[in-house]
Amino acid sequence: MSPVSGAVLLPVERLRRDFPILGERINGHPLAYLDSAATSQKPQVVLDAITDYYRAANANVHRGAHALAERATDIFETARERVARFIDADPQGVVFVRNTTEGINLVAYGWAGHHLGPGDRLVVTEMEHHSNFVPWQEVRDRTGCELAMIPVDDDGRLDLAAAARLLERPTRLLAVTHVSNVLGTVNPVAELVAMAHRSGALALVDGAQAVPHRPVSVRQLDADFYAFSGHKMLGPTGTGVLWGRPELLEATHPFLTGGSMISVVTPERTTWTEVPHKFEAGTPDIAGAAGLLAAIEYLEGIGLAAVDAHEAELAHYAMEVLSEVGDITCYGPPVSDRPGILSFNVRGVHPHDVGTILDRAGVAVRAGHHCCQPLMRRLGVAATVRASFYLYNTRAEVDALGAALTDVRRIFAEPAPPA
Ligand code: 7TS
């Protein structure tokens, strides 16, 4: 997971031309989009794949004996196969959902809600996005199971000794993020999964900030469930994936029922069709799958190791730029072992004010709690500013961030105007 040293640098200027939105001007400045952890921008090939689908293949999938239905089904199922290959998994375990949140809820409602009860326990971590925290609180409240939390240490890493202690006791499920969306911490997921398995637990990994940026093999991680979002990896909004071991998906109840997910329906009872289709009730986002397929082909053409190395280099540079600005507190582990996510605060300035001033200079960052309120409490702050990088970002954009932050300091250093 560490950046590949000596990797060939990306031809960023050429890649940028593939993303029409990057030519936008914002408030009179060139756009510096540093918010890809929220959602990525989309290359023209993804936009084309969506319109081509509607122009030449639009029909419902898995239904109708006509040529267009076959084309649509072929695109949809090819997308499933390519997703599976992308994360080194079997297509039978790939369920199309709307986003990471829906994937995790599917496991929370469909598996945990049916298999856990009083006396069982779930373990999560203090750095989870609310999407991998609130569903487990709900499971706790509905089933009466216990919910424990692995703490984060002062460097923004998981306390592995505490994790080992928590997982010494029998546990049913560990839910952990692969990469923190606030701190950029890359968790030792294979080690945590092994700990979970020794305690008899299944392991669900939230891969929302990992799959877009670095090679991931669910097989090597030995995870049981793995969720991520297509829209953070150059794909369309409304696309996401839950991968699960097929035998566990068999034991998971469908979250939604209705059309396309049944085997036989009688007035008395209904049986489900096979995995993964039993989780895809109703007409799916076929155009979204076409776009996601194009996004994966685009990323494979570049190579994720190179993407990872490029982001790590930018994060390193950004850290230097931020330290030159001064009066900035950064959160998370040393930059040497983290990818392109940087959270920070400017002393004495509210993060939302920082975000607004940066936006005036065309620099798009996120300011807020980043859907991680338990982690904010641990850090002792209400919110942070977050810059996040992807394959299309440049050093010039980091310079624009630095210049705008210098403006922030200047503006807030000025004496207040007389009342
Ligand atoms: N898990 C992690 C680690 C995330 O970063 C996010 C989204 C989610 C789950 C939820 O993904 P969704 O596609 O279901 O929304 N994170 C962010 C963020 O950091 N800023 O905006 C969304």
Side-chain angles (χ1 to χ4, degrees):
M1 291 289 292
S2 60
V4 181
S5 56
V8 180
L9 290 183
L10 295 184
V12 179
E13 287 306 330
R14 182 167 59 73
L15 296 179
R16 285 177 68 82
R17 291 200 286 276
D18 296 336
F19 293 79
I21 205 168
L22 297 181
E24 285 291 301
R25 291 186 74 80
I26 304 290
N27 298 321
H29 297 271
L31 165 67
Y33 187 74
L34 304 181
D35 196 20
S36 292
T39 196
S40 75
Q41 298 301 351
K42 326 298 176 197
Q44 187 65 46
V45 285
V46 169
L47 310 183
D48 289 345
I50 296 166
T51 46
D52 288 352
Y53 163 74
Y54 282 121
R55 239 194 320 253
N58 181 51
N60 215 323
V61 289
H62 310 129
R63 291 171 230 213
H66 58 80
L68 288 185
E70 257 176 51
R71 279 186 205 171
T73 305
D74 185 48
I75 290 170
F76 193 66
E77 291 306 323
T78 303
R80 193 189 308 278
E81 279 162 26
R82 295 302 291 271
V83 163
R85 201 176 81 185
F86 197 64
I87 57 166
D88 189 21
D90 44 317
Q92 210 202 343
V94 171
V95 182
F96 280 123
V97 289
R98 281 185 308 143
N99 47 41
T100 305
T101 306
E102 188 174 301
I104 295 170
N105 273 277
L106 200 164
V107 180
Y109 282 86
W111 184 82
H114 287 266
H115 294 287
L116 302 191
D120 287 326
R121 67 205 291 265
L122 291 164
V123 174
V124 297
T125 88
E126 202 174 11
M127 66 166 73
E128 296 312 311
H129 187 281
H130 295 161
S131 294
N132 198 26
F133 184 67
V134 182
W136 306 117
Q137 274 185 330
E138 283 290 301
V139 168
R140 177 200 63 190
D141 293 348
R142 279 183 293 112
T143 67
C145 75
E146 184 198 335
L147 179 64
M149 198 154 80
I150 301 171
V152 169
D153 70 16
D154 291 339
D155 285 337
R157 296 193 180 95
L158 291 179
D159 180 340
L160 293 181
R165 278 194 302 277
L166 276 170
L167 291 169
E168 255 166 23
R169 289 175 42 209
T171 303
R172 297 295 304 278
L173 184 103
L174 167 71
V176 60
T177 192
H178 198 155
V179 175
S180 159
N181 65 313
V182 174
L183 304 171
T185 314
V186 181
N187 287 322
V189 169
E191 201 181 318
L192 287 160
V193 170
M195 272 187 211
H197 286 168
R198 280 196 296 276
S199 79
L202 299 178
L204 175 141
V205 181
D206 172 351
Q209 300 295 347
V211 174
H213 304 281
R214 62 215 49 254
V216 169
S217 163
V218 294
R219 220 179 292 273
Q220 276 177 22
L221 295 175
D222 203 23
D224 299 294
F225 295 106
Y226 196 102
F228 57 100
S229 297
H231 69 91
K232 292 186 200 285
M233 52 187 283
L234 313 182
T237 51
T239 62
V241 172
L242 172 72
W243 173 82
R245 286 186 197 279
E247 66 275 20
L248 290 172
L249 292 179
E250 291 292 348
T252 302
H253 285 243
F255 182 35
L256 298 171
T257 54
S260 307
M261 54 74 68
I262 55 87
S263 174
V264 178
V265 180
T266 66
E268 291 74 36
R269 66 184 288 267
T270 296
T271 53
W272 318 138
T273 190
E274 73 276 12
V275 165
H277 306 287
K278 83 171 186 191
F279 300 107
E280 294 174 355
T283 302
D285 187 347
I286 312 163
L292 182 57
L293 172 58
I296 288 176
E297 283 173 352
Y298 186 87
L299 284 172
E300 283 177 344
I302 294 168
L304 281 178
V307 172
D308 187 16
H310 172 71
E311 291 173 17
E313 197 272 330
L314 275 183
H316 220 268
Y317 180 60
M319 208 63 135
E320 278 171 32
V321 168
L322 262 53
S323 70
E324 275 162 28
V325 171
D327 269 346
I328 289 187
T329 308
C330 288
Y331 305 96
V335 73
S336 55
D337 55 325
R338 70 157 119 174
I341 294 180
L342 282 183
S343 271
F344 58 91
N345 273 318
V346 182
R347 190 153 57 140
V349 188
H350 194 282
H352 286 136
D353 292 334
V354 176
T356 303
I357 296 171
L358 263 50
D359 184 53
R360 288 205 317 229
V363 179
V365 295
R366 180 160 179 193
H369 53 62
H370 313 294
C371 302
C372 290
Q373 288 182 359
L375 178 60
M376 293 294 123
R377 197 175 60 167
R378 171 67 178 88
L379 297 175
V381 296
T384 74
V385 184
R386 182 190 65 191
S388 55
F389 307 117
Y390 208 1
L391 50 89
Y392 36 67
N393 290 122
T394 63
R395 281 183 164 229
E397 291 175 315
V398 175
D399 290 335
L401 170 69
L405 286 171
T406 303
D407 269 354
V408 170
R409 285 199 60 201
R410 188 180 45 72
I411 291 164
F412 279 86
E414 283 166 5

